[in-house]
Amino acid sequence: MFLKKAITLIFTTAILFSCKEKAKETLKSDEVEEPQEMESADLKIGRQNYAIAWKWTTDNRELVEENLVVIADEVNRLWKEDIVEDAYYNSNATIDKFEYFPNVFFFLKAKSEREASTILNKLTLVKKGIASYKIYPVGLKWMGRDHDKIREKGITSSYAAIWTSDNWENTTDSLTKSQADAILNLWNAGSIENIYFDIEGTQKANDKTDFVFFINANTEKEAQELCENLPFAKKHIASFELYSVGVFWLGNYEEFNQDLE
C-alpha cells in the first residue's frame, strides 16, 4: 500500500512539473511553432485578477488518474495564454487531502467573475465533477517575488492569506501607512510574496477580498502569527483566512519566456 501511494505521489508531481518542462521545450525548439494566443491584446484590456482555491469533490482515484494529463495540459494552456499565473501546489495537504494528489491554488485573469466562472467551468476538473472551486476577487498585482531573498530564507511552505475588510471606515492614513510599511518589510525579507490588492473592495468597504499575499513559513502557526501582528489585524480593520498552498509552481508565462532568453 505504501509503495502504491508513493508511486501515485511521484506520478502526480511529475505531471505538475511537466507543464513547466513542456514550456521550456517549446521555447528551445526551432521546429515548434509559437502557441497561438486565444485572446488578442484588445480583449485583455480591463481584466481583473481572481484567486482560485480548489477542493476535491470526488473519492474516485481512478477518475483522477485517468484525467491527470488532460488536467495538467489545460492548466498549462491557460498559463501560456496569460489567463493563469502564480500557481501553487500542495502535495502535503493535511486538510481536504484526497489520496496523494496535490491541491492547487492559482490566479485567473478575466473581465468579470462571471467570465472567470465560464473559463473554469470548461475545465475537466469541473466538467467531470473532480473538483470544485471558490473565487476571490483580488484586484491588481502589487508585488511579485524577490527570488534572491526567498532563496536566502531557505525552503519553507507557502500559505495564502486572503484578507477582507471588516472596519475599513475606521482606518486612518497613518494606520494605512503602517500596514503598507509592514508588508513591504516582510516582502523585502522574503517572508511574503505575490501580493494582490483590490482597491474597489476597500473603497466600498464591502465583502470583497481586499488583498491577498503568500507567506513563506515553516508552519501554519508561524503564518498565523505573521498575519496577526500586522496593523490591520491588530486594529481589527481586516480579517484573514489562511490556505496551505504548498510551494510556488508557475509564475507569469511572459516573464518565464524572458528568463530563458
Side-chain angles (χ1 to χ4, degrees), residues 86-106:
D86 291 339
Y88 291 74
Y89 79 93
N90 188 2
S91 60
N92 296 305
T94 56
I95 300 176
D96 185 31
K97 185 76 173 175
F98 172 54
E99 285 289 334
Y100 276 71
F101 301 112
N103 286 356
V104 176
F105 189 108
F106 59 66

Side-chain angles (χ1 to χ4, degrees), residues 3 8 14 30 60 62 71 94 120 123 127 136 138 151 163 168 171 203 236 240-241 261:
L3 178 60
T8 300
D30 294 331
N60 187 336
E62 288 74 18
I71 292 169
T94 56
L120 294 170
L123 297 178
K127 289 194 299 183
Y136 295 92
V138 293
R151 280 194 291 269
W163 293 76
W168 184 257
T171 192
Q203 285 178 334
H236 307 291
F240 62 89
E241 181 179 1
E261 293 178 350

Side-chain angles (χ1 to χ4, degrees), residues 117-176:
S117 295
T118 299
I119 294 170
L120 294 170
N121 290 340
K122 292 179 181 179
L123 297 178
T124 299
L125 275 169
V126 179
K127 289 194 299 183
K128 294 195 175 183
I130 295 173
S132 62
Y133 60 84
K134 188 171 183 179
I135 299 179
Y136 295 92
V138 293
L140 301 175
K141 187 173 181 177
W142 178 25
M143 304 183 77
R145 306 180 86 229
D146 187 327
H147 296 279
D148 292 336
K149 290 296 183 181
I150 292 168
R151 280 194 291 269
E152 288 177 13
K153 186 176 179 62
I155 298 174
T156 61
S157 296
S158 294
Y159 300 86
I162 300 173
W163 293 76
T164 304
S165 294
D166 296 320
N167 297 294
W168 184 257
E169 65 277 8
N170 292 328
T171 192
T172 62
D173 290 344
S174 61
L175 181 59
T176 300

Side-chain angles (χ1 to χ4, degrees), residues 20-30 32-35 79-80 253 256-258 260-261:
K20 188 171 288 187
E21 293 304 316
K22 285 181 181 179
K24 290 180 181 178
E25 291 171 5
T26 299
L27 292 169
K28 291 180 179 179
S29 173
D30 294 331
V32 179
E33 296 181 356
E34 291 294 323
W79 177 59
K80 288 181 178 180
Y253 182 72
F256 175 75
N257 189 348
Q258 292 170 0
L260 290 180
E261 293 178 350

Side-chain angles (χ1 to χ4, degrees), residues 52-257:
I52 312 299
W54 291 90
K55 180 178 181 181
W56 294 105
T57 54
T58 182
D59 57 2
N60 187 336
R61 179 169 57 84
E62 288 74 18
L63 177 64
V64 178
E65 287 181 340
E66 67 187 19
N67 286 284
L68 274 177
V69 174
V70 174
I71 292 169
D73 284 346
E74 288 175 344
V75 174
N76 189 42
R77 176 179 59 81
L78 291 176
W79 177 59
K80 288 181 178 180
E81 292 170 352
D82 191 34
I83 296 173
V84 162
E85 70 175 13
D86 291 339
Y88 291 74
Y89 79 93
N90 188 2
S91 60
N92 296 305
T94 56
I95 300 176
D96 185 31
K97 185 76 173 175
F98 172 54
E99 285 289 334
Y100 276 71
F101 301 112
N103 286 356
V104 176
F105 189 108
F106 59 66
F107 290 84
L108 187 144
K109 301 175 184 180
K111 290 188 176 182
S112 65
E113 189 167 334
R114 181 177 180 179
E115 182 179 88
S117 295
T118 299
I119 294 170
L120 294 170
N121 290 340
K122 292 179 181 179
L123 297 178
T124 299
L125 275 169
V126 179
K127 289 194 299 183
K128 294 195 175 183
I130 295 173
S132 62
Y133 60 84
K134 188 171 183 179
I135 299 179
Y136 295 92
V138 293
L140 301 175
K141 187 173 181 177
W142 178 25
M143 304 183 77
R145 306 180 86 229
D146 187 327
H147 296 279
D148 292 336
K149 290 296 183 181
I150 292 168
R151 280 194 291 269
E152 288 177 13
K153 186 176 179 62
I155 298 174
T156 61
S157 296
S158 294
Y159 300 86
I162 300 173
W163 293 76
T164 304
S165 294
D166 296 320
N167 297 294
W168 184 257
E169 65 277 8
N170 292 328
T171 192
T172 62
D173 290 344
S174 61
L175 181 59
T176 300
K177 183 179 184 305
S178 296
Q179 173 79 3
D181 289 345
I183 288 178
L184 183 59
N185 289 336
L186 290 170
W187 185 85
N188 284 328
S191 296
I192 65 174
E193 63 188 33
N194 288 330
I195 306 167
Y196 290 76
F197 182 72
D198 178 24
I199 187 63
E200 183 179 357
T202 55
Q203 285 178 334
K204 293 183 178 180
N206 56 21
D207 59 357
K208 281 193 172 185
T209 309
D210 295 326
F211 56 98
V212 173
F213 57 71
F214 291 80
I215 305 165
N216 297 315
N218 294 309
T219 64
E220 186 170 347
K221 181 179 179 182
E222 183 180 328
Q224 181 90 13
E225 291 175 349
L226 181 149
C227 291
E228 290 174 347
N229 285 323
L230 285 173
F232 276 10
K234 286 184 175 181
K235 297 295 184 179
H236 307 291
I237 299 298
S239 58
F240 62 89
E241 181 179 1
L242 282 181
Y243 279 92
S244 176
V245 296
V247 295
F248 181 72
W249 172 27
L250 296 172
N252 177 276
Y253 182 72
E254 292 182 1
E255 293 176 358
F256 175 75
N257 189 348

